[in-house]
């Protein structure tokens, strides 16, 4: 397992191009199962999650070919069984359930299991699909779904933590080939859901209201192939913006979508960070003394849970008390104990982390636990005095394409080390 060794104290300077959004490309790849015709997806980031999804689609019988950042997928003949060994590697693969039901009217997909940030249930996915007529049983660790006919209907996808992103994706991808009209209430509004809806519409689906809590889908007989360019990754952009502010540098993010980042940019500005927008470029730099902020993670367009860990690092550098409350996942504070090893003073009180900021961080070996916690530890290492070794950075490679190369080009002093 590789680790990153980072020498702290170097402000980041320069430009960085933001890649395609991981959380858009994964369901869009799954949606290509809905047609026997070829699909072309552009601006695909080179991530281990993308190659896992490619392996899963291949195991289902699709032809998958990645050339540079362009993915060609053709699912002429597919089987309806998603293999446990592949599915368990990536929770996001549950989003093959909807398209398999839509295309084949049957699917057997391994239950994804939980991960370090929480149990990751799929009850809302299954509730939504059964409201379209699917008969679903859980057997031997698999979801087995069958539908004589998929009928459009009213589906409510609100759960205890709000809407479900991939649950909305799954129901949308089954409903596009159902008979009649489906109305999804309490649909997720994330930009990645809108990007999926745009791809499905390019395939001939009839969808109105994506990006709002009410999405109306009129089923069609079949879908055709399509080409699509994935939206930029707003979480990668937020991660680089926070790393810039944390290291007191100045970086321009190219090909970003500031209109997908209002909550993050608002909190950065409130904390004293200067963010200037010129079209799709965002220039970020610290504008003087950082100020403490309070953050609560919410469904979109609220502050994204996927940026919570990174923002916590910035708050450890900020004199004063900041309170960060995680409302989406049950245990998304795995980074707190590792940040404490670098000298951060953070107390957890239920769903909130109370950050007493202002004490400088000092380097130490730390352990990555999940994708966004790893990103937070890298940002902390860029700032901490001395050297920080972030172990198990395979977590990082799942969702950030060549982040070490991109940081090096911005002046960071770091190297990837093979771990015995
Ligand atoms: C997506 O996960 C993202 N992953 C996550 O990003 C992101 O954190 C999450 O949405 C929230 O924005 C992908 O898109 C691949 P949810 P998803 O269903 O769809 C509960 C990253 O770092 N829930 O919106 O799996 C659930 O437990 C990853 O890139 C139910 O109760 O998340 C959670 O508390 C991490 N029942 C909340 O809803 C269900 O059936 C939101 O989950 C489904 C979800």
């Amino acid at each position: 397992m590789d680790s990153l060794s980072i020498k702290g104290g170097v402000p980041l300077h320069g430009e960085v191009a933001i890649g395609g959004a991981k959380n858009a490309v994964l369901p869009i790849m799954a949606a290509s199962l809905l047609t026997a015709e070829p699909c072309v997806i552009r601006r695909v980031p080179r991530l281990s999650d993308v190659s896992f999804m490619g392996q899963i689609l291949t195991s289902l019988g699709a032809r998958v070919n990645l050339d540079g950042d362009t993915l060609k997928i053709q699912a002429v003949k597919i089987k309806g069984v998603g293999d446990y060994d592949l599915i368990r590697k990536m929770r996001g693969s549950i989003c093959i359930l909807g398209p398999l039901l839509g295309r084949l009217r049957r699917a057997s997909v391994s239950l994804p299991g939980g991960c370090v940030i929480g149990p990751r249930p799929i009850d809302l996915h299954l509730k939504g699909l059964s409201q379209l007529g699917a008969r679903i049983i859980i057997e031997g660790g698999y979801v087995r779904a069958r539908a004589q006919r998929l009928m459009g209907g009213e589906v409510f996808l609100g759960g205890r933590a709000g809407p479900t992103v991939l649950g909305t994706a799954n129901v949308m991808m089954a409903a596009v080939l159902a008979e009649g009209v489906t109305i999804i209430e309490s649909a997720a509004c994330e930009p990645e859901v809108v990007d999926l809806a745009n791809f499905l519409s390019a395939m001939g689906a009839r969808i109105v209201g994506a990006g709002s809590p009410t999405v109306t889908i009129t089923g069609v007989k079949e879908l055709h192939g399509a080409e699509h360019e994935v939206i930029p990754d707003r979480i990668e952009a937020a991660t680089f913006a926070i790393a810039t502010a944390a290291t007191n540098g100045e970086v321009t993010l190219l090909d970003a979508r500031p209109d997908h980042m209002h909550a993050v940019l608002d909190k950065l500005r409130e904390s004293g960070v200067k963010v200037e927008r010129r079209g799709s470029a965002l220039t970020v730099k610290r504008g003087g003394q950082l100020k403490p902020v309070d953050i609560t993670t919410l469904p979109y367009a609220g502050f994204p849970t996927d940026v919570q860990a990174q923002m916590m690092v910035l708050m450890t550098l900020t004199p004063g008390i900041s309170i960060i409350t995680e409302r989406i996942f049950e245990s998304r504070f795995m980074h707190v104990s590792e940040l404490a090893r670098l000298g951060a003073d953070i107390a957890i009180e239920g769903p909130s982390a109370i950050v007493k900021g202002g004490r400088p961080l000092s380097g130490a070996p730390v352990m990555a636990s999940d994708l966004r916690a790893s990103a937070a530890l890298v940002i902390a290492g860029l700032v901490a005095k001395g050297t920080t070794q972030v172990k198990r950075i395979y977590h990082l490679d799942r969702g950030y394409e060549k982040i070490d190369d991109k940081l090096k080009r911005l002046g960071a002093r770091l190297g990837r080390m093979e771990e015995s």
Side-chain angles (χ1 to χ4, degrees), residues 305-321:
T305 174
D306 295 346
V307 182
Q308 176 256 108
Q310 302 90 310
M311 199 64 188
M312 192 180 290
V313 178
L314 191 63
M315 290 304 107
T316 66
L317 310 172
T318 306
I321 304 274

Side-chain angles (χ1 to χ4, degrees), residues 6-283:
I6 307 168
K7 276 201 180 5
V10 180
L12 299 180
H13 281 279
E15 293 185 340
V16 62
I18 299 302
K22 165 179 86 80
N23 292 348
V25 76
L26 294 176
I28 287 173
M29 287 172 74
S32 61
L33 294 170
L34 287 162
T35 177
E37 295 186 9
C39 292
V40 179
I41 307 164
R42 294 199 165 72
R43 205 211 313 251
V44 173
R46 279 193 175 275
L47 303 170
S48 44
D49 272 11
V50 169
S51 50
F52 281 150
M53 182 56 94
Q55 289 168 41
I56 289 167
L57 298 184
T58 306
S59 75
L60 294 171
R63 255 214 318 283
V64 180
N65 176 285
L66 181 60
D67 173 13
D69 74 349
T70 301
L71 196 52
K72 292 192 178 79
I73 302 175
Q74 186 161 13
V76 181
K77 231 173 120 21
I78 53 169
K79 60 183 182 144
V81 185
D83 168 81
Y84 171 70
D85 270 345
L86 282 172
I87 303 250
R88 70 177 173 75
K89 283 185 192 163
M90 185 183 67
R91 271 198 30 72
S93 49
I94 191 64
C95 64
I96 63 172
L97 185 55
L100 287 177
L101 255 186
R103 174 89 183 267
L104 301 175
R105 300 293 190 272
R106 68 179 189 287
S108 269
V109 179
S110 148
L111 278 168
C115 68
V116 287
I117 64 176
R120 314 298 294 274
I122 58 167
D123 56 305
L124 296 170
H125 298 234
L126 304 184
K127 171 186 162 192
L129 295 172
S130 3
Q131 283 166 340
L132 299 185
R135 272 191 30 257
I136 293 173
I137 53 167
I138 307 285
E139 187 185 61
Y142 275 77
V143 175
R144 301 202 190 282
R146 275 183 179 288
Q148 292 303 332
R149 296 168 65 192
L150 273 181
M151 307 298 289
E154 299 242 325
V155 175
F156 181 77
L157 286 182
R160 50 165 196 74
T164 160
V165 172
L166 289 182
T168 303
N170 260 330
V171 171
M172 266 172 42
M173 291 191 281
V176 291
L177 289 177
E179 295 166 46
V181 178
T182 296
I183 298 178
I184 305 177
E185 293 294 357
S186 192
C189 303
E190 274 67 4
E192 294 76 24
V193 171
V194 177
D195 210 31
L196 170 64
N198 291 339
F199 178 61
L200 290 168
S201 305
M203 294 171 79
R206 294 171 56 193
I207 302 174
V208 173
S212 83
T214 303
V215 180
T216 304
I217 298 144
T218 306
V220 294
K221 275 249 164 303
E222 61 177 11
L223 296 177
H224 50 72
E227 304 214 1
H228 181 79
E229 179 167 286
V230 173
I231 53 170
D233 194 318
R234 61 194 169 99
I235 309 300
E236 182 192 23
T239 304
F240 275 101
I242 292 168
T244 302
T247 57
N248 202 1
E250 179 168 344
V251 171
T252 295
L253 313 179
L254 302 172
D255 306 328
R257 280 289 298 268
D259 56 317
H260 291 164
M261 302 171 67
H262 290 304
V264 170
L265 301 184
D266 176 62
K267 278 299 168 189
L268 284 174
R269 289 183 175 117
E270 186 188 328
S271 69
V273 176
K274 276 210 170 330
V275 182
E276 262 165 64
R277 172 179 176 174
R278 275 194 309 282
S280 66
L282 272 177
T283 300

